[in-house]
Structure formats: C-alpha cells, structure tokens
Amino acid sequence: MDIIRLIFSIILPPLGVFLQVGIGLQFWINIILTCCGYLPGIIHAVWIIARR
C-alpha cells in the first residue's frame, strides 16, 4: 500500500498525505507547501509516508 501512496504523492502530493493521515494538520501543511512549490509538497508527502 505504501507504493501506491508514494506514487500518488509524486503525482498529487496532498492526495498521498490524505491517504496516509486523513484531513489534519499535516494535510493542510502539505497543501500550503504544494501551492508554494511543487517540489516542497512532494518532499513533505514522501517524508510523511516514510515516517509512518
């Protein structure tokens, strides 16, 4: 299942975070990072998935 989340995180970072933690603080942080730049959103999403 982590492979699918990682693929979603590369395509659409907030979706990968949502699948991992749901709608919470990390999800909103990822949306802000993705709006600021696509790469920070990907890095944050992969970090969230790898950490849990």
Side-chain angles (χ1 to χ4, degrees), residues 1-20 30 34 38 41-43 45-46 49:
M1 188 65 175
D2 283 343
I3 300 294
I4 295 171
R5 288 185 193 128
L6 285 173
I7 292 170
F8 281 138
S9 294
I10 293 170
I11 296 169
L12 189 62
L15 180 60
V17 174
F18 173 74
L19 291 174
Q20 183 72 25
N30 191 268
T34 303
Y38 189 66
I42 291 174
I43 293 170
V46 170
I49 292 170

Side-chain angles (χ1 to χ4, degrees), residues 31-47:
I31 287 182
I32 292 169
L33 287 172
T34 303
C35 288
C36 291
Y38 189 66
L39 189 59
I42 291 174
I43 293 170
H44 180 259
V46 170
W47 180 69

